[in-house]
Amino acid sequence: MTVEQNVLQQHSQKHQQTLLNQLREITGTTDIQLLQQALQVSSGDLAEAVAFLTEKNAKVPQQDETTYYQTSQVASDRYISVGSQADTNVIDLTGDDKDDLQRAIALSLEESSRAFRETGITDEEQAISRVLEASIAENKASLKRTHTEVWSDSPNPHDRKRIDNCPVGLKNVGNTCWFSAVIQSLFNLLEFQRLVLNYSPPARVHDLPRNQKEHRNLPFMQELRHLFSLMVGSKRKYVDPSRAVEILKDAFKSSESQQQDVSEFTHKLLDWLEDAFQMKAEEDREEEKPKNPMVELFYGRFLAVGVLEGKKFENTEMFGQYPLQVNGFKDLHECLEAAMIEGEIESLHSAENSARSGQEHWFTELPPVLTFELSRFEFNQALGRPEKIHNKLEFPSMLYMDRYMDRNREITRIKREEIRRLKEHLTLLQQRLERYLSYGSGPKRFPLADVLQYAMEFASSKPVCTSPVDDIDSSAPPGGTTGQPLPPPSTAEQDPLPPLESSGSASAPTTAPTTAQQQRVPIHKPFTQSRLPPDLPMHPAPRHITEEELRVLEGCLHRWRSEVENDTRDLQGSITRIHRTIELMYSDKSMMQVPYRLHAVLVHEGQANAGHYWAYIYDPHQRCWMKYNDISVTKSSWEELVRDSFGGYRNASAYCLMYINDKKPFLIEEEFDKETGQVLSGMDKLPPDLKQYVKEDNELFDKEVVEWDTLQARKAQQEKLALAAAAAAAAAAAAASAASSTSTTSSSPQPMSTESTTPDNTVLQQEPEYMEQPSPTNDSKHLQEDTERAISRAAAEQEERSPEALLNAAIKLEYARLLRFAQEDTTLENDYRLQHIIVYFIQNQAPKKILERTLLTQFADRNLAFDDRCKSIMNVARAKLDLIKPEEVNMDEYEMWHQDYRNFRETTIFMLTGLEFFQKTNYVEALMYLIYSYQYNKELLSKGLYRGHNERLLGHYRRECLLKLNEQAAAMFESGEEPEVTTGLGIMNELVVPCIPLLLFHDVERDLLAVEDMRNRWCSYLGQEMESNLQEKLTDFLPKLLDCSTEIKSFHDPPKLPTYSTLELCERFSRIMAAVARTPTEER
């Protein structure tokens, strides 16, 4: 088959080879004959083919030499161009065996074949349709949810507004993170972006599409253009790809749901794009052979050189995405080396025609965009389901492909042979080194140099003349100089420990002689004494050794140890040099002429049945990596990419690598204006029709922003009017109360009523409830007592008794008292900020004018005792407040500080309520209080260190509450009882899942580990046997758990808070925090 014929026939050929690749991946079967028979039997249905291969009675078909020769040329999972045999070789399963299973298979084949003939839609396309329909259904369901539920956008458009020229994200419209990862990787190939944006459909199809492909592909291309144009010029932080996904769904017709491999989506997406550009290319060049830009961009060719049973063959094939096996390899080059050689290839290089078979692949033409699919899923025959391979696989940021090119075939073969020889030598050296490092014949082995050193230390120890058991006195402490000997061996063998344990005060008086009692016996204290007594040997020692024996032995051992150490160093040095030689084998300039730079890494986190996808894409203009995670687009680093992509760490690993030819900068270069020479950016990139489309969408968004701002301004005005009305009503009530009080205490009018009618009194009435109350109870009573106490102290210490002097002295005393509180070190259960607002202001360095006005307000409280001294001081304080000019104290700033303190008290109540519920193990009730306390507290701490509470403490209990709920829900699920399972999944969906993004948002290590623990707990059920209804519920739930890291979701309104006086709040704080302080440190 020629290269030209392959190009013309690639559409029909790709389908079968793609299925062959997938089938080989899933089942792990490498027998090409068996794989092809499974495809024939299943008529291309992947599930049927897997079932066929996993049947115990599946038989391998026998093929003659000619048939095998034909299939061997296309037997690799790297091939894309393969002739289809599914239509010509239908196997009749209804002949011999008439059981139900066989009849069902035959009926399935008949239905599948008839459906394809009638609609032109393959089973593969129907499978993609199923997952797309599930995504669309999830999206439609999410649109019905209110803004307080999990999947909704923020109602505030400012939260969804694009900042400067930051990249635009893609909204996850229902388990479509795979769509976002693939589309973002392609969009950031600027050449591909230009091709899509400037695509115009063929003129002949404007009226009516001629066939199914045109009816399917052209609308999709139009929606893809719209999506790309929004990603270029939108004012939104992220855009909605629903319409493009909707086109994909409408292109197929199926009502069933089935999990679809994401690599299949990428294959199909490129196929559709190729078809669309092929129609345009054929129209533009009717006479000469058209060039398809998608083929030019993504497809390459390789030469298969092989020998089959002594017969040599060569075959040129096209490829797109190149699959690589991961299992058993440590880096990308090892994967490629294994993929380029199949079978026994010795006969390829020899002149003799042996019976061995094998083949090599050599790239003849590499595409500008080189994509590798990493096969991280394999079929577990025992469990009957696919599993993910989490092995670590390293890949470089710059990949040199010279060693795999056909033009370097001979030199690569030489180098491979040299590497093979070096590796054989390396294996021998490592085996020899292992004998030195693991010496011995028993189960425990040690380095030989250490063994010789130990022998030398034993020989050099001070000789002893007694048995190690003869010199131990069973009646005296260890190390003693006197005592009785041990019992006879027959007694000692039964239990040698009790005599040693009984050598204390109870046994010594009765067993030791009188002389021993009078003699001072040194006592050995093993836990307090730094060294052993001198008469107790440190190590075992030889009984008898002469100087001559010791001299000879030490000489031999020294020499042998030096020889062993030298041999070990020589072996290690040789091994290091061989490793270095292998690493540098392809480092000469002649083998570094085909550089490919890493452009994008598509990452999957989770298990085989469920997970989350995102992409790392290199930005050559900012020279940094960007992380595209649905609506979130953030700067990243190579270190983060390595952590998430190499595998072997958690459940995340790369499943697709996209490299670009580093010698073709047009792939990522911006376009220039032909007239001005300026770089085209933003809307200037777009053709006129797309400019208008984006302009209209931006106008809609601007309108939404204006409407939101107008609504918020109206709400603020209404709140302001309501506050003013309430203040006026309160002022009127206070005036009436004061007049009534005056009339009952005096028969003639008093002059003090003049202050109560001044206009500035409305300001006093608007003070916070913790500063003034309508009656002397709760907070006001507590504050009143503090104020009266300060006035009494001032009167006792102050010589001048004028009201103004007393007021100034009382304020100074009160401030000094509160300053001491603010500067005092406190315990966990005592927080003086709750006792008085001034303490909070001092610790947070509030302006002096704010402090003065707040203290004046305290002394201007009408609820002070009605003695003449307090009344006069109150009147002076109110007069001073009236004299404060607006320019002296910024009332907006004053109110802001007081609002911050109200927020602090409210956050405290949230925290205490949540902690109290947590201590009572009522985690469901505790969660929302802890969530809101943490969020409000973080807002406070953003203004200052002492504005809020301990963030780590709140973070700990928030995290622990989620872990406890996760454990409860998992235990309910494990019970298998329907009500319990429903309740458990309800807890996860309604409480835990919406909160997981909050743990991931700030990238705190303990929070990340907690999320990983929760996800692993549920993913562990995938490999367990369970009822079908449980399996279905688990399958529905896992994508939500694994796909909830894309955005911060909104919650229901905060729970209602009880009202506490200052004394009640402080007492409650002390009690609850004391219980927290008693918790072990590692648990809080």
Side-chain angles (χ1 to χ4, degrees):
M1 184 180 290
T2 65
V3 175
E4 291 77 9
Q5 289 171 333
N6 275 324
V7 175
L8 294 175
Q9 295 181 8
Q10 59 185 313
H11 299 289
S12 62
Q13 294 175 337
K14 287 177 187 172
H15 171 57
Q16 181 176 341
Q17 184 58 46
T18 301
L19 288 179
L20 190 67
N21 296 345
Q22 249 193 335
L23 194 59
R24 186 177 186 181
E25 253 176 55
I26 293 175
T27 63
T29 304
T30 57
D31 191 323
I32 300 302
Q33 300 176 13
L34 189 56
L35 290 173
Q36 292 213 342
Q37 186 202 10
L39 285 180
Q40 291 172 351
V41 168
S42 63
S43 189
D45 187 285
L46 194 60
E48 291 286 344
V50 171
F52 176 82
L53 288 172
T54 54
E55 286 291 332
K56 293 182 179 179
N57 60 348
K59 297 180 180 179
V60 181
Q62 299 298 324
Q63 292 184 338
D64 57 22
E65 180 179 326
T66 305
T67 306
Y68 185 84
Y69 177 72
Q70 291 171 349
T71 59
S72 68
Q73 297 179 6
V74 292
S76 169
D77 64 351
R78 267 75 61 186
Y79 292 151
I80 298 299
S81 300
V82 178
S84 175
Q85 301 176 5
D87 296 334
T88 59
N89 298 316
V90 179
I91 299 177
D92 182 12
L93 296 178
T94 61
D96 298 329
D97 192 350
K98 295 295 184 179
D99 62 14
D100 292 340
L101 175 62
Q102 298 289 20
R103 284 196 295 273
I105 294 175
L107 181 60
S108 173
L109 292 174
E110 181 182 350
E111 290 293 330
S112 175
S113 179
R114 182 170 66 251
F116 179 76
R117 290 194 300 269
E118 292 176 357
T119 64
I121 301 172
T122 65
D123 292 336
E124 174 196 9
E125 293 168 335
Q126 291 179 8
I128 295 178
S129 172
R130 296 180 190 119
V131 72
L132 290 171
E133 284 181 344
S135 297
I136 296 299
E138 174 66 22
N139 182 39
K140 289 181 178 178
S142 69
L143 295 177
K144 298 178 183 178
R145 299 186 178 110
T146 63
H147 74 276
T148 58
E149 291 189 22
V150 175
W151 304 108
S152 59
D153 293 325
S154 169
N156 186 350
H158 291 283
D159 295 338
R160 295 179 273 114
K161 192 172 184 178
R162 185 179 183 182
I163 302 174
D164 300 328
N165 292 321
C166 290
V168 175
L170 290 177
K171 182 180 179 181
N172 188 336
V173 294
N175 300 334
T176 55
C177 47
W178 44 269
F179 179 89
S180 173
V182 174
I183 291 298
Q184 290 282 19
S185 301
L186 295 173
F187 173 81
N188 282 277
L189 284 170
L190 298 186
E191 178 64 15
F192 179 85
Q193 182 189 121
R194 285 188 287 269
L195 288 171
V196 171
L197 292 175
N198 295 308
Y199 176 84
S200 58
R204 59 181 171 76
V205 298
H206 278 300
D207 298 330
L208 185 66
R210 296 185 306 177
N211 54 43
Q212 177 71 17
K213 285 184 178 180
E214 292 179 359
H215 181 75
R216 175 190 69 191
N217 296 344
L218 296 178
F220 174 74
M221 276 301 302
Q222 187 62 22
E223 286 306 325
L224 190 61
R225 292 181 71 238
H226 287 165
L227 182 61
F228 272 28
S229 65
L230 290 175
M231 294 167 73
V232 168
S234 179
K235 291 183 179 180
R236 303 176 190 268
K237 179 182 177 181
Y238 57 89
V239 294
D240 191 335
S242 295
R243 296 177 67 177
V245 177
E246 188 79 30
I247 292 293
L248 287 172
K249 187 267 299 185
D250 290 340
F252 309 107
K253 293 177 175 59
S254 172
S255 59
E256 302 176 7
S257 62
Q258 179 176 327
Q259 181 72 22
Q260 180 64 32
D261 186 59
V262 176
S263 62
E264 275 307 297
F265 162 75
T266 312
H267 279 296
K268 190 53 59 179
L269 174 65
L270 292 179
D271 282 348
W272 288 13
L273 293 171
E274 183 185 337
D275 291 340
F277 278 96
Q278 186 66 29
M279 287 184 282
K280 181 64 176 173
E282 290 174 355
E283 181 186 68
D284 293 343
R285 298 187 178 185
E286 298 255 345
E287 297 181 359
E288 55 184 286
K289 182 181 175 181
K291 285 189 176 181
N292 190 319
M294 289 294 107
V295 175
E296 299 289 325
L297 202 58
F298 294 103
Y299 288 89
R301 295 179 175 84
F302 65 82
L303 183 67
V305 182
V307 172
L308 175 65
E309 297 181 359
K311 298 179 181 179
K312 293 184 178 181
F313 67 88
E314 286 192 5
N315 189 34
T316 302
E317 299 292 345
M318 289 191 67
F319 70 93
Q321 294 173 286
Y322 202 87
L324 294 175
Q325 297 295 324
V326 170
N327 212 1
F329 305 108
K330 69 176 183 179
D331 59 43
L332 187 62
H333 277 299
E334 284 192 2
C335 294
L336 276 167
E337 289 283 353
M340 303 302 282
I341 301 174
E342 285 191 356
E344 302 178 39
I345 62 168
E346 289 85 352
S347 57
L348 296 178
H349 313 150
S350 62
E352 301 177 0
N353 292 330
S354 68
R356 294 178 176 177
S357 301
Q359 57 181 328
E360 293 177 328
H361 295 169
W362 300 97
F363 292 117
T364 57
E365 181 182 344
L366 289 173
V369 182
L370 180 59
T371 306
F372 296 112
E373 289 180 6
L374 304 182
S375 301
R376 283 195 172 271
F377 299 96
E378 63 181 2
F379 194 81
N380 188 317
Q381 298 281 358
L383 296 177
R385 62 170 62 98
E387 290 184 341
K388 186 176 178 182
I389 302 170
H390 294 292
N391 298 355
K392 182 177 181 180
L393 183 79
E394 299 178 0
F395 48 84
S397 59
M398 185 68 73
L399 179 68
Y400 293 96
M401 295 295 293
D402 303 74
R403 69 185 80 173
Y404 311 110
M405 301 301 295
D406 183 53
R407 62 174 177 265
N408 297 323
R409 187 195 304 186
E410 296 306 321
I411 188 171
T412 299
R413 282 176 174 170
I414 294 173
K415 288 180 178 292
R416 283 178 180 171
E417 179 61 27
E418 177 65 14
I419 289 175
R420 186 189 64 79
R421 187 186 62 79
L422 287 172
K423 285 185 175 179
E424 289 179 354
H425 186 46
L426 181 65
T427 302
L428 292 175
L429 293 176
Q430 289 172 334
Q431 290 173 350
R432 291 180 182 177
L433 179 62
E434 183 65 18
R435 292 171 185 165
Y436 280 93
L437 298 180
S438 299
Y439 184 80
S441 57
K444 292 185 178 181
R445 304 189 176 209
F446 304 92
L448 179 55
D450 291 348
V451 172
L452 295 173
Q453 177 66 26
Y454 299 153
M456 193 184 312
E457 291 174 0
F458 173 79
S460 304
S461 299
K462 181 181 177 181
V464 293
C465 300
T466 60
S467 168
V469 297
D470 290 342
D471 61 344
I472 298 179
D473 186 353
S474 63
S475 62
T481 58
T482 63
Q484 294 180 350
L486 284 173
S490 60
T491 307
E493 288 171 2
Q494 295 175 3
D495 190 1
L497 292 178
L500 295 177
E501 293 175 353
S502 62
S503 60
S505 59
S507 60
T510 59
T511 59
T514 306
T515 56
Q517 295 179 8
Q518 296 174 353
Q519 186 177 355
R520 184 178 181 86
V521 178
I523 301 175
H524 172 51
K525 302 176 182 178
F527 296 105
T528 59
Q529 196 163 305
S530 60
R531 60 185 182 184
L532 296 173
D535 58 344
L536 187 64
M538 181 75 69
H539 299 291
R543 297 280 188 87
H544 306 284
I545 185 170
T546 65
E547 292 293 334
E548 180 65 20
E549 289 173 337
L550 180 60
R551 184 180 60 79
V552 173
L553 189 55
E554 282 185 340
C556 293
L557 290 173
H558 272 295
R559 185 177 73 253
W560 294 338
R561 186 168 182 267
S562 298
E563 292 171 355
V564 168
E565 288 177 342
N566 291 335
D567 291 345
T568 302
R569 279 195 297 269
D570 291 344
L571 287 169
Q572 291 173 335
S574 298
I575 290 172
T576 302
R577 285 192 297 273
I578 292 177
H579 276 301
R580 186 64 177 163
T581 303
I582 293 174
E583 290 175 3
L584 299 177
M585 187 64 69
Y586 296 98
S587 61
D588 51 292
K589 289 185 177 180
S590 63
M591 300 298 284
M592 300 176 69
Q593 301 301 309
V594 189
Y596 272 77
R597 186 176 56 77
L598 187 62
H599 164 70
V601 180
L602 278 63
V603 179
H604 173 268
E605 180 183 28
Q607 302 295 332
N609 291 349
H612 179 58
Y613 296 87
W614 68 88
Y616 289 100
I617 303 173
Y618 187 72
D619 186 334
H621 307 291
Q622 298 189 54
R623 298 181 180 274
C624 70
W625 285 93
M626 304 293 291
K627 183 178 181 180
Y628 289 79
N629 192 353
D630 290 338
I631 68 169
S632 172
V633 183
T634 56
K635 281 190 176 182
S636 184
S637 63
W638 175 253
E639 290 72 25
E640 183 182 3
L641 183 153
V642 167
R643 184 193 69 187
D644 288 348
S645 306
F646 278 11
Y649 178 75
R650 300 181 180 175
N651 288 332
S653 55
Y655 74 92
C656 182
L657 306 176
M658 191 177 290
Y659 284 87
I660 57 176
N661 193 323
D662 202 43
K663 291 188 175 181
K664 295 183 178 180
F666 71 90
L667 293 169
I668 53 174
E669 278 185 348
E670 295 282 1
E671 192 176 1
F672 291 86
D673 187 284
K674 295 180 180 178
E675 296 180 358
T676 64
Q678 298 293 324
V679 175
L680 295 177
S681 61
M683 299 283 280
D684 295 334
K685 287 183 176 184
L686 305 179
D689 63 321
L690 294 181
K691 279 185 181 178
Q692 183 61 30
Y693 177 80
V694 175
K695 181 180 177 183
E696 292 173 359
D697 184 77
N698 285 340
E699 289 174 352
L700 288 175
F701 185 68
D702 289 338
K703 182 181 178 182
E704 184 182 356
V705 172
V706 171
E707 290 175 351
W708 171 266
D709 291 342
T710 303
L711 177 63
Q712 298 308 307
R714 188 182 303 117
K715 286 183 178 179
Q717 183 65 23
Q718 291 173 350
E719 291 176 0
K720 188 175 181 181
L721 292 174
L723 286 173
S737 175
S740 174
S741 175
T742 303
S743 63
T744 58
T745 56
S746 176
S747 58
S748 60
Q750 298 296 323
M752 65 173 294
S753 62
T754 55
E755 283 83 5
S756 65
T757 59
T758 56
D760 288 328
N761 284 342
T762 58
V763 175
L764 293 177
Q765 294 299 328
Q766 296 179 32
E767 294 299 339
E769 67 274 7
Y770 49 81
M771 291 300 300
E772 182 173 359
Q773 296 287 342
S775 62
T777 58
N778 298 335
D779 284 355
S780 285
K781 185 176 181 181
H782 166 69
L783 199 61
Q784 172 191 335
E785 292 173 354
D786 289 342
T787 307
E788 291 173 353
R789 194 178 300 112
I791 292 174
S792 299
R793 285 187 59 195
E797 298 175 4
Q798 190 71 17
E799 294 181 359
E800 186 180 352
R801 296 304 182 95
S802 66
E804 185 172 1
L806 287 176
L807 173 64
N808 292 335
I811 287 178
K812 288 181 180 179
L813 288 171
E814 179 70 355
Y815 179 77
R817 180 180 73 90
L818 298 174
L819 180 62
R820 286 195 299 273
F821 284 150
Q823 295 174 341
E824 184 178 327
D825 291 334
T826 60
T827 59
L828 181 64
E829 58 267 27
N830 191 17
D831 193 335
Y832 290 126
R833 292 174 299 175
L834 294 172
Q835 298 185 14
H836 205 290
I837 188 175
I838 293 296
V839 177
Y840 183 84
F841 284 177
I842 293 174
Q843 290 191 358
N844 290 287
Q845 300 177 347
K848 181 180 178 182
K849 294 291 185 182
I850 304 295
L851 294 171
E852 290 176 352
R853 184 178 179 90
T854 304
L855 283 169
L856 275 175
T857 304
Q858 176 180 332
F859 283 86
D861 185 2
R862 289 192 186 88
N863 295 322
L864 293 177
F866 284 97
D867 60 82
D868 293 338
R869 184 174 62 194
C870 288
K871 288 179 186 176
S872 60
I873 289 177
M874 178 194 71
N875 289 332
V876 171
R878 294 175 68 83
K880 283 181 174 289
L881 285 174
D882 294 341
L883 293 175
I884 296 177
K885 298 178 181 179
E887 61 269 17
E888 293 179 1
V889 177
N890 187 329
M891 290 306 296
D892 289 338
E893 184 182 16
Y894 178 83
E895 177 57 32
M896 181 198 73
W897 276 96
H898 281 262
Q899 182 60 49
D900 282 353
Y901 186 65
R902 284 192 289 270
N903 293 341
F904 170 72
R905 284 172 61 98
E906 184 177 289
T907 301
T908 303
I909 297 174
F910 271 117
M911 177 184 73
L912 295 178
T913 308
L915 289 176
E916 191 169 36
F917 278 127
F918 186 91
Q919 291 165 3
K920 295 177 180 178
T921 69
N922 189 347
Y923 305 119
V924 173
E925 294 291 338
L927 180 62
M928 279 300 107
Y929 287 100
L930 293 173
I931 288 293
Y932 275 101
S933 67
Y934 184 88
Q935 295 301 113
Y936 291 162
N937 190 66
K938 196 163 190 68
E939 293 174 9
L940 289 171
L941 293 178
S942 66
K943 298 181 180 180
L945 180 62
Y946 300 103
R947 295 289 186 110
H949 294 285
N950 188 322
E951 183 178 15
R952 292 181 63 185
L953 179 72
L954 280 172
H956 166 80
Y957 279 99
R958 180 186 67 162
R959 180 170 60 247
E960 285 300 308
C961 191
L962 285 169
L963 288 170
K964 296 288 187 183
L965 285 173
N966 186 72
E967 285 298 316
Q968 286 184 355
M972 292 178 180
F973 182 82
E974 290 173 1
S975 71
E977 300 295 331
E978 185 65 26
E980 292 284 304
V981 171
T982 302
T983 303
L985 291 178
I987 290 174
M988 294 301 297
N989 285 320
E990 296 172 15
L991 296 176
V992 177
V993 169
C995 295
I996 286 182
L998 298 174
L999 298 185
L1000 299 176
F1001 188 74
H1002 297 289
D1003 203 26
V1004 178
E1005 183 179 2
R1006 291 190 177 183
D1007 288 345
L1008 295 178
L1009 292 174
V1011 173
E1012 188 67 20
D1013 289 343
M1014 288 187 279
R1015 289 176 171 174
N1016 285 341
R1017 177 66 182 269
W1018 290 91
C1019 287
S1020 67
Y1021 297 140
L1022 290 172
Q1024 300 180 19
E1025 295 296 332
M1026 65 181 69
E1027 299 292 334
S1028 58
N1029 63 323
L1030 293 181
Q1031 184 68 50
E1032 182 179 353
K1033 290 182 178 182
L1034 181 64
T1035 303
D1036 291 340
F1037 164 68
L1038 275 180
K1040 299 175 184 178
L1041 179 66
L1042 297 171
D1043 194 20
C1044 62
S1045 59
T1046 58
E1047 56 180 304
I1048 301 297
K1049 314 296 190 304
S1050 54
F1051 296 97
H1052 292 283
D1053 294 335
K1056 298 296 183 182
L1057 293 178
T1059 302
Y1060 296 103
S1061 68
T1062 297
L1063 289 175
E1064 292 171 337
L1065 183 59
C1066 291
E1067 185 276 333
R1068 193 160 182 257
F1069 183 90
S1070 178
R1071 174 170 50 83
I1072 294 174
M1073 298 309 290
V1076 170
R1078 289 193 295 270
T1079 306
T1081 306
E1082 62 271 12
E1083 295 183 18
R1084 52 181 173 91

